[in-house]
Amino acid sequence: MTHTVTTAGDPLPALPGRAPYDVTVIGAGVVGTALARELARYPLRTALVEASDDIGDGTSKANTAILHTGFDAVPGSLEARLVREGQRRLSAYAAETGIPVERVGALLVAWDTEQLAALPALLAKAAANGYHAARLMDADELAAREPHLGPGALGALEVPDESVICPWSTPLAFATQAVRAGVHLHLDCPVRHIEPGDTAHTLTTGRGTLRTRYLINAAGLYADEIDRMLGHDVFTVTPRRGQLLVFDKLARDLVRHILLPVPTAVGKGVLVAPTVFGNVLLGPTAEELDDRTATESTREGIALLREKGRRILPRLLDEEVTAVYAGLRAATGQEDYRIQEYAGLRYIAVGGIRSTGLTASMAIADHVTALLARTGLDTGAPAELEPLTMPGLGEVSDRPYLDADLIARDPAYGTLVCHCERVTAGELRDALASTLPPRSVAGLARRTRAGNGRCQGFHCGAGLRALIEGARP
């Protein structure tokens, strides 16, 4: 294992001999961490800088957690190709590393004659994107497949390979492999200014300066601001807020598939979906905002979701809501991704990565790494990364509290701390001792599920906070 370097809080360390990094990636969301992991395969000095105190702490932590097939992407677009390739690669990677995935399939439900008439075109669009497993379904079959669906559904388009995935384990796995392979991760490190240079760029951050020969901008909601620091004014990010409701695990039997609306120009609309944690999601809204930090939920947003949910799955509204959350997507007013290389600047912008970014992340990383060669970087030969196994967070996984042999070897795995989510003292200990330990209770929750259950940490919250405080140097 390579000596790992993760820094936070203190001034940035100087590289030996003050040599610049070969490549620096700005933004440690799911796309930035996938890029760091891919670059870690090459003999390069690579840095990953993140404004927050944890990886995956922006848009990546608050999405709908769907592993898309790309059936409804714009045919021939870069997004369509990268989602298709990304779905294949991430599915295989999840199986290798233990990231929870459930292939539940999706149904695009038509609720009126106009929507029903649109389904054949969506079927043709799926075929144009190279996806041929979709098929039309009449009202009778739809009612049999989803018996709790609201009245009035006229038919559906079935997409059997749509899946749900853990949105937290994915960037954590990427970043863990990257750091173990030698990538330097700098947290609490917002980029304030960039001074381009003939041989190296100088980044002024909240923790000092660093120099890098090549630069990749994967800053998500702030990708346009980073782009302008390099002298470009090509796109503008408009935050699109998506509010979601998380229903209790007792609601899980009400739905068997991801239930999608027929999409509109604004987005994919409000869906109902199972999660790998055993809950049910309802959302998201699609609100165009100016504030890039507006992740609060609103009375109006929740009312809209309940109205939509009552039509889709009436009985769902009788179930308990476990949590409400909101995420911001980086909309740019263009359907496709905004990925562009600038050879003269040794710079690549990776902007406009919206809800499909989780699915496409590994393919985006491969694509951008190839673009680095076009900007002049000699990456060298790739090598295999050290294998990785992530903790089993999925509800259908072999959770530690059910593993008698594991508990016999180490009783900490039989000691429940978070009773709602069945998280044990052993799992919390492992997270705090991991390559990328959490620095907050929220970070601990994303690594273990602790505190995310129906009591929302009322029972275990004080203990979790004490663990985080005790782990700080």
Side-chain angles (χ1 to χ4, degrees):
M1 181 187 297
T2 303
H3 178 64
T4 61
V5 176
T6 302
T7 70
D10 297 324
L12 288 172
L15 281 178
R18 300 190 64 81
Y21 287 107
D22 292 316
V23 186
T24 295
V25 180
I26 301 174
V30 71
V31 173
T33 53
L35 279 158
R37 177 192 173 275
E38 182 64 23
L39 291 168
R41 300 174 59 231
Y42 297 87
L44 299 167
R45 296 186 304 277
T46 301
L48 175 62
V49 299
E50 166 58 39
S52 177
D53 69 350
D54 200 2
I55 59 94
D57 194 39
T59 297
S60 297
K61 75 179 180 185
N63 57 39
T64 49
I66 294 176
L67 184 55
H68 296 281
T69 58
F71 77 95
D72 59 345
V74 177
S77 65
L78 179 62
E79 181 181 19
R81 175 170 71 82
L82 296 181
V83 169
R84 185 168 60 248
E85 294 176 7
Q87 191 267 351
R88 174 181 55 79
R89 293 191 58 175
L90 185 51
S91 294
Y93 182 74
E96 292 168 6
T97 57
I99 295 171
V101 173
E102 289 186 46
R103 180 179 171 272
V104 293
L107 299 174
L108 275 81
V109 180
W111 295 95
D112 57 42
T113 55
E114 184 178 354
Q115 293 177 7
L116 187 66
L119 294 184
L122 287 168
L123 179 63
K125 192 176 191 180
N129 280 316
Y131 185 76
H132 301 285
R135 68 182 186 91
L136 298 174
M137 180 183 295
D138 64 23
D140 290 339
E141 183 180 0
L142 175 59
R145 295 281 293 275
E146 286 289 351
H148 300 293
L149 204 63
L154 302 179
L157 177 69
E158 181 188 16
V159 188
D161 295 298
E162 295 278 300
S163 304
V164 291
I165 187 170
C166 177
W168 306 322
S169 298
T170 305
L172 182 60
F174 293 158
T176 298
Q177 277 193 304
V179 169
R180 287 183 179 180
V183 172
H184 291 189
L185 172 62
H186 301 304
L187 300 169
D188 291 323
C189 198
V191 175
R192 308 293 193 198
H193 178 73
I194 301 172
E195 184 66 38
D198 291 337
T199 59
H201 305 302
T202 300
L203 277 60
T204 301
T205 79
R207 295 176 49 214
T209 61
L210 64 81
R211 297 171 66 240
T212 186
R213 294 169 56 215
Y214 289 80
L215 185 61
I216 301 174
N217 169 13
L221 289 166
Y222 299 91
D224 58 338
E225 294 185 2
I226 298 296
D227 204 46
R228 290 188 181 98
M229 292 181 192
L230 274 298
H232 304 293
D233 191 7
V234 180
F235 63 92
T236 298
V237 171
T238 301
R240 182 176 293 161
R241 182 167 58 194
Q243 300 183 50
L244 297 104
L245 303 181
V246 183
F247 286 86
D248 188 77
K249 291 173 175 54
L250 293 175
R252 178 62 183 85
D253 290 340
L254 294 177
V255 60
R256 301 173 181 176
H257 305 78
I258 303 165
L259 300 179
L260 300 170
V262 177
T264 68
V266 176
K268 297 180 185 299
V270 174
L271 58 83
V272 174
T275 76
V276 294
F277 310 118
N279 299 90
V280 177
L281 282 183
L282 171 63
T285 57
E287 307 159 56
E288 302 285 345
L289 304 175
D290 295 324
D291 186 352
R292 303 185 196 215
T293 64
T295 56
E296 66 272 8
S297 299
T298 66
R299 183 187 301 273
E300 295 78 15
I302 292 172
L304 173 66
L305 293 179
R306 291 184 64 85
E307 176 188 341
K308 298 284 187 181
R310 187 170 288 108
R311 170 126 194 229
I312 301 166
L313 209 66
R315 285 184 56 185
L316 184 62
L317 276 299
D318 296 329
E319 300 294 332
E320 295 290 334
V321 173
T322 296
V324 180
Y325 71 93
L328 299 175
R329 289 158 279 176
T332 63
Q334 177 178 303
E335 291 272 351
D336 210 354
Y337 294 160
R338 298 284 190 133
I339 300 178
Q340 179 66 52
E341 80 276 18
Y342 299 90
L345 271 175
R346 304 178 313 284
Y347 164 67
I348 300 174
V350 185
I353 312 299
R354 298 172 300 164
S355 58
T356 55
L358 172 60
T359 302
S361 55
M362 297 186 79
I364 292 172
D366 185 64
H367 175 69
V368 172
T369 302
L371 292 181
L372 277 173
R374 284 166 48 173
T375 65
L377 178 64
D378 180 5
T379 60
E384 292 299 317
L385 295 174
E386 177 187 332
L388 175 70
T389 300
M390 298 299 293
L393 298 188
E395 195 69 3
V396 299
S397 304
D398 295 326
R399 302 283 303 285
Y401 79 95
L402 294 172
D403 190 333
D405 292 337
L406 178 63
I407 294 168
R409 295 193 300 271
D410 188 342
Y413 292 110
T415 304
L416 288 178
V417 176
C418 173
H419 288 257
C420 296
E421 295 296 301
R422 305 292 193 268
V423 182
T424 67
E427 292 169 276
L428 297 171
R429 177 197 62 203
D430 292 347
L432 291 167
S434 65
T435 302
L436 298 176
R439 303 178 68 228
S440 66
V441 172
L444 186 59
R446 290 194 291 274
R447 287 160 174 80
T448 64
R449 292 174 46 173
N452 283 341
R454 56 172 60 101
C455 87
Q456 288 291 286
F458 180 82
H459 173 75
C460 64
L464 298 178
R465 286 191 294 275
L467 286 174
I468 290 292
E469 292 294 332
R472 287 175 179 162

